[in-house]
Amino acid sequence: MLHENLKAFPENFLWGAASAAYQVEGAWDVDGKGVSNWDKFVRIPGKTFKGTNGDVAVDHYHRYKEDIALMAEMGMKTYRFSVAWARIFPNGSGEVNEKGLAFYNDLIDELLEHNIEPILTIYHWDLPQALQDKYGGWESREIVEDFRNYCITLYKAYGDRVKYWVSLNEQNIFTRLGYQTAMHPPGVKDDKLFYQVNHHASLANAVAIKEFRTYVPDGKIGPSFAYSPAYAATSKPEDILAAENAEELSNHWWMDVYAWGEYPKASWEYLERKGLAPQVEKGDFALLKEGKPDFMGVNYYQTTTFEKNPLDGVTMEGTFNTTGKKGTMEDTGIPGLFKTITNENLERTNWDWNIDPQGLRIGLRRITNRYGLPILISENGLGEYDKVEEDGTIQDGYRIEYIRTHLKAVQEAITDGVEMIGYCVWSFTDLLSWLNGFQKRYGFVYVNQHEEGEHDLRRIKKKSFYWYKEVIESNGENL
Ligand code: BGP
């Protein structure tokens, strides 16, 4: 529907930005931190763009006060950050590292002193390597107990001050890239294991939420799901079915479990026939049902368009664009179910990500209709090259346009009746992009950090910084 007048953003709307420990902190071996799976993975030649790693990242560990001062200057209402498990438990379990606990304590206090609501992500992909070595990390059900212990430690330490929590960040991405495409640690390609690993992660997510009710009864918690709503390439029924298959196997496979504690039917039947369905033990579904979140966290970047894929069609082997050379992304799919196809109606970034604000509105409505949960947009933003002009400014009008149109879509969704908690832009400062180095930038604040050459890590406010400041000040009135 076309709206003549849009509803205003809610009074207490959380305007913010997000980050993740590995991508900003640096200080990878400082103050007793243990080694994470990413600390190890990035050292394998050829895994990341030009061999970049998070050893220093943007040194937020040492510069968080400067960064939070900038957030306050911008008027940010919330900051979503993640805790590095290996800072709290260098070995994943066992003895607590007090210095690690102290770091996030100080960070949280600093945020609160500046009236910025902390949103704490418990797990944003950096697993203590010790657990990978001990029992294969997510490959073993043993991880559920270690994760429970880690969560309870965080709830006890920070639950008095942190009221918004994200359990797992993009479970669908870290399991798929870790175990289906081998692009993330531990770099495995094994479909059967992928579904099993994912099941363990779902159990861990449910345990995290269950324990949360005891330790932080007045808080809110939910997962952050990487939602790419599925479109059909044409109105041909076989393409519509392909898109349905994709929506179910790539999206509902996770969101149904979060919201209802159930796997979607047709996908379960399909995986069982293929011998790929996860092994489920007695009590698993009861536990999953107990882990109902307070909100659905949504990380939205783009929609994906699908068409029919024959039984001998393309697989998940296609190249992913991690170089920033437009047009290098290849189609992927699952034979007999679906394959991706370029959507000619959409513009793309230099990393071949579709730019589709309307897709966000569509996605928000789908979630609302299916699950009836409030939504926190825990990530949305534009990764692009930025250039420091001779006068020292960064004119990122393209980023302003991206965020403005997506915010407009959020407002349209609000007008449609979607209950929105807040909106976190990815990201506040520039940071390390897992596979794409430092050249793919997302921040409102430029950080002088590069793959090669000069990198004094100085912070420069981009044009978008001043723009977002005004958006926040006016509570989104002048988009
Ligand atoms: C999400 C992750 C973030 C962030 C973002 C941008 O999937 O949760 O950690 O990296 O995507 O992705 P990229 O860095 O690949 O451009």
Side-chain angles (χ1 to χ4, degrees):
M1 54 211 75
L2 297 170
H3 295 301
E4 273 172 31
N5 294 306
L6 295 181
K7 271 192 204 160
F9 285 88
E11 210 42 58
N12 52 357
F13 191 71
L14 291 175
W15 299 95
S19 72
Y22 187 71
Q23 298 176 276
V24 291
E25 286 178 3
W28 78 284
D29 60 351
V30 168
D31 289 341
K33 175 179 165 291
V35 173
S36 79
N37 56 344
W38 275 91
D39 291 325
K40 187 170 174 213
F41 189 71
V42 293
R43 287 177 165 69
I44 305 170
K47 292 294 184 194
T48 63
F49 180 72
K50 296 196 174 172
T52 41
N53 64 50
D55 288 6
V56 176
V58 295
D59 200 30
H60 181 66
Y61 190 80
H62 296 113
R63 297 170 194 239
Y64 71 92
K65 288 197 176 169
E66 181 186 348
D67 291 340
I68 292 173
L70 285 164
M71 293 174 201
E73 183 185 333
M74 190 194 234
M76 238 162 71
K77 306 277 188 219
T78 189
Y79 174 53
R80 171 179 174 237
F81 63 94
S82 83
V83 172
W85 187 343
R87 274 196 206 287
I88 309 297
F89 290 103
N91 292 311
S93 59
E95 215 173 303
V96 178
N97 174 31
E98 291 299 335
K99 283 189 174 166
L101 271 184
F103 170 68
Y104 297 105
N105 228 347
D106 294 346
L107 180 92
I108 290 162
D109 286 344
E110 189 76 13
L111 287 169
L112 292 172
E113 268 168 39
H114 288 86
N115 296 318
I116 300 169
E117 182 83 51
I119 301 180
L120 188 157
T121 305
I122 298 171
Y123 184 79
H124 200 127
W125 305 356
D126 46 349
L127 178 76
Q129 180 61 33
L131 299 184
Q132 190 70 42
D133 296 340
K134 192 173 166 196
Y135 48 66
W138 294 104
E139 291 161 43
S140 165
R141 292 176 75 100
E142 267 188 66
I143 197 163
V144 177
E145 284 316 302
D146 284 338
F147 191 68
R148 184 200 303 271
N149 177 47
Y150 166 54
C151 288
I152 293 175
T153 306
L154 298 187
Y155 298 156
K156 283 185 179 165
Y158 312 129
D160 58 335
R161 285 155 295 153
V162 179
K163 298 302 167 196
Y164 288 92
W165 295 67
V166 169
S167 44
L168 298 181
N169 179 72
E170 297 191 352
Q171 182 187 334
N172 55 328
I173 302 295
F174 80 76
T175 54
R176 170 161 293 150
L177 271 60
Y179 287 91
Q180 197 171 40
T181 69
M183 286 160 70
H184 281 191
V188 172
K189 276 187 196 180
D190 181 334
D191 278 350
K192 170 96 184 141
L193 189 55
F194 158 57
Y195 286 105
Q196 194 60 41
V197 157
N198 181 63
H199 185 66
H200 300 152
S202 295
L203 295 173
N205 186 73
V207 161
I209 294 177
K210 196 179 154 189
E211 297 293 351
F212 187 77
R213 305 294 172 216
T214 308
Y215 292 93
V216 197
D218 58 341
K220 293 196 184 307
I221 188 167
S224 275
F225 181 68
Y227 187 28
S228 184
Y231 287 174
T234 72
S235 54
K236 284 185 207 152
E238 60 259 39
D239 290 342
I240 307 275
L241 183 63
E244 290 278 324
N245 289 338
E247 187 74 1
E248 185 166 324
L249 189 60
S250 306
N251 293 323
H252 298 165
W253 188 260
W254 284 271
M255 289 195 287
D256 283 10
V257 174
Y258 294 143
W260 301 330
E262 286 168 16
Y263 286 110
K265 191 84 182 140
S267 294
W268 180 270
E269 293 293 318
Y270 168 81
L271 292 175
E272 265 218 316
R273 276 198 306 280
K274 293 275 172 193
L276 298 175
Q279 206 186 331
V280 175
E281 291 185 8
K282 202 166 156 263
D284 282 2
F285 285 117
L287 171 61
L288 292 175
K289 283 183 200 304
E290 275 183 276
K292 191 172 158 107
D294 297 301
F295 58 83
M296 192 69 82
V298 173
N299 292 357
Y300 175 82
Y301 290 92
Q302 56 178 330
T303 51
T304 311
T305 300
F306 295 92
E307 65 177 0
K308 177 188 170 181
N309 194 10
L311 286 169
D312 59 352
V314 297
T315 64
M316 299 303 280
E317 286 300 317
T319 309
F320 200 78
N321 174 355
T322 57
T323 57
K325 289 200 185 80
K326 207 169 179 171
T328 55
M329 187 87 90
E330 289 177 357
D331 290 330
T332 55
I334 299 183
L337 291 188
F338 53 75
K339 75 171 276 292
T340 60
I341 179 175
T342 303
N343 187 334
E344 299 299 347
N345 302 298
L346 300 174
E347 296 287 326
R348 277 174 292 287
T349 72
N350 278 310
W351 277 260
D352 292 313
W353 290 26
N354 298 314
I355 301 177
D356 185 8
Q358 223 167 133
L360 174 56
R361 179 179 175 192
I362 292 166
L364 295 174
R365 281 172 44 162
R366 285 186 187 174
I367 291 175
T368 296
N369 289 338
R370 194 169 172 92
Y371 307 112
L373 285 167
I375 299 173
L376 169 71
I377 297 186
S378 35
E379 287 179 29
N380 174 237
L382 176 67
E384 264 306 338
Y385 298 111
D386 286 328
K387 188 167 148 257
V388 184
E389 304 291 341
E390 265 169 30
D391 64 359
T393 63
I394 293 125
Q395 301 295 327
D396 59 341
Y398 38 90
R399 181 166 294 107
I400 293 175
E401 192 50 18
Y402 181 99
I403 298 172
R404 190 186 68 75
T405 50
H406 284 75
L407 275 174
K408 201 93 203 168
V410 171
Q411 203 181 356
E412 278 169 342
I414 290 172
T415 309
D416 292 334
V418 172
E419 191 184 337
M420 295 290 316
I421 297 173
Y423 174 83
C424 295
V425 172
W426 186 266
S427 52
F428 182 67
T429 61
D430 287 342
L431 40 69
L432 173 71
S433 172
W434 304 94
L435 302 178
N436 313 280
F438 293 102
Q439 62 164 6
K440 190 180 186 189
R441 296 175 180 275
Y442 281 92
F444 290 120
V445 175
Y446 183 92
V447 178
N448 193 30
Q449 171 67 298
H450 306 273
E451 285 71 38
E452 291 133 355
E454 184 218 11
H455 47 268
D456 58 12
L457 298 168
R458 77 177 184 280
R459 274 66 170 148
I460 311 171
K461 288 170 259 177
K462 301 180 193 178
K463 190 177 180 187
S464 57
F465 179 99
Y466 301 99
W467 172 81
Y468 197 50
K469 182 175 192 290
E470 276 182 28
V471 170
I472 299 174
E473 257 165 27
S474 65
N475 202 36
E477 220 178 78
N478 310 310
L479 286 173

